[in-house]
Amino acid sequence: MTTVVLLGTLDTKGEECAWLRTRLRTLDVDVLLVDTGVSGLPRTTADIPRDRVALAAGDDLDRLRAEGDRGAAVTVMGTGAAAVVNRLYAQGRLHGVLAVGGSSGASIAGRAVRDLPVGVPKLIVSSMAGGDVSPYVGAADVAMLHSVVDIAGVNRVSAPVFANAAAGIAGMAKDFAARGHPLDDTTVRQGRPLIAASMAGVTTPGVDAARERLDELGYEVLVFHTSGSGGRALESLAARGLFAGVLDLTPCELADDLVGGVLTAGPDRLEAAGRAGIPQVVSPGALDMVKFGPLATLPDRFRDRHVRVHNPSVTVIRTTADEVAELGRRIGGKLRSACGPAALCLPLHGLSTLSAPAAGGTVPAGPYHEPETDAVLFDALRRALRGSAVAVHELPTHINDPGFGRAAADHLHRLIVDHCGATAEGREAP
């Protein structure tokens, strides 16, 4: 029978979990209720009690209670819940996970489902879903539903939200059970070899051209939006060795990490492929900008910069010469240290739609068209890679010129062929 694992701290969310368990059973799914609480008495009976969750993390519930450290307890219960959830999945007793909670409950749930394969349904109902959900979602395919009111009883507002959550996870779990196979490492490696590509809206035409070329060459391309979570997902999958190559044409999350933007993927961005020895081609796409939220949220220290409202949710500022020089040094250092083959493609006529040059005397240059600043970046990259095994290809085009994307794809194909001997279809590079 289709089984949903329901996670909750039953000392504070027992009423809500009991209501959800009953609702799920009316939807013809079995329920395994896991108690991730620590302090108070459970308000309903769990199938997997809290002491077993703590034990799964190699800890003791009595010790956690005696210590009285809430943060440490949440960490332990998250680790234990992850062990429980993964064991149930391995046993074929899990077809979806539903969790309810505030900040601590969502944190535990996020940790619990993070290692499940892509495609296994994961839904967290939380009052935290109205803000930054990246700490809970990470790089996983986690869905979050805003509870609107706090999760403190079942009332005329929370009841329909909970009902939707139950219906949603029940439907997803039944469909998953019928399909039978998630996107795990085994299924990912079947079929055409995979390429990871990074893309932002401002580099879409160039990356699309590269994707089409790679498709012609026999690859399947997974495109990751460089929104912070996208970069983290790319790095996570690359670390597992799932890609034949990486086409990182838009590593712009590094600019956010350096300057303080909101779409950072962390300082380790652009390192996993190198550590795994995966062939990679990199370009400095969209390093001409740093991203923030709505204009009203832009920190005061950046308001004298070249500010542009990209859309109502995203405001950008132009990177400076000092910033791109440091980015060039950092990217060069990451490529130099790669264990596998790497190449750099430089689009000498612009890094994004905002820095496009004037065209034909009728189309003005983009607002971030600053060839002198881009030249500082290019020079820093050249110096950082001088004397290394990393090939530098300089193309007199804009990054969104289809020719640039195709050339970058061909360079990656050549690296893969030289590194592995052949693609899945045995095609040689042109």
Side-chain angles (χ1 to χ4, degrees), residues 220-400:
E220 181 177 354
V221 182
L222 305 183
V223 178
F224 295 83
H225 186 203
T226 50
S227 57
S229 59
R232 288 191 296 272
L234 189 161
E235 297 290 313
S236 175
L237 294 176
R240 287 159 54 184
L242 300 184
F243 301 127
V246 173
L247 190 69
D248 217 336
L249 299 187
T250 319
C252 56
E253 290 148 317
L254 287 169
D256 285 46
D257 185 68
L258 172 66
V259 182
V262 299
L263 299 186
T264 175
D268 295 336
R269 178 74 172 86
L270 201 64
E271 295 181 8
R275 285 195 300 267
I278 299 172
Q280 58 181 323
V281 170
V282 174
S283 169
L287 290 183
D288 52 357
M289 66 187 74
V290 180
K291 279 78 64 187
F292 296 90
L295 179 61
T297 68
L298 181 68
D300 289 341
R301 67 183 183 277
F302 296 122
R303 290 189 175 271
D304 62 346
R305 300 278 290 267
H306 191 166
V307 177
R308 183 173 180 84
V309 175
H310 186 60
N311 60 49
S313 301
V314 178
T315 303
V316 297
I317 63 172
R318 213 323 178 166
T319 43
T320 66
D322 288 343
E323 290 163 354
V324 297
E326 177 59 23
L327 287 168
R329 288 188 287 269
R330 292 187 181 187
I331 291 172
K334 292 172 187 285
L335 292 179
R336 286 185 75 103
S337 64
C339 298
L344 176 71
C345 289
L346 298 180
L348 299 180
H349 292 173
L351 308 177
S352 75
T353 55
L354 297 186
S355 62
T362 58
V363 179
Y368 285 175
H369 180 62
E370 296 180 8
E372 64 283 359
T373 305
D374 291 347
V376 172
L377 171 62
F378 299 150
D379 191 51
L381 286 164
R382 294 185 191 104
R383 288 199 308 271
L385 294 172
R386 190 170 295 143
S388 75
V390 180
V392 178
H393 306 286
E394 302 192 15
L395 290 84
T397 64
H398 185 267
I399 193 168
N400 286 327

Side-chain angles (χ1 to χ4, degrees), residues 171-230:
M172 288 189 283
K174 289 178 182 178
D175 181 71
F176 175 75
R179 284 185 282 120
H181 296 288
L183 183 66
D184 58 19
D185 289 12
T186 300
T187 55
V188 163
R189 290 190 174 95
Q190 296 171 351
R192 295 187 296 167
L194 288 178
I195 300 294
S198 60
M199 185 175 79
V202 293
T203 61
T204 296
V207 177
D208 275 350
R211 178 172 54 83
E212 291 167 4
R213 176 59 177 152
L214 288 166
D215 182 71
E216 293 172 0
L217 291 167
Y219 301 97
E220 181 177 354
V221 182
L222 305 183
V223 178
F224 295 83
H225 186 203
T226 50
S227 57
S229 59

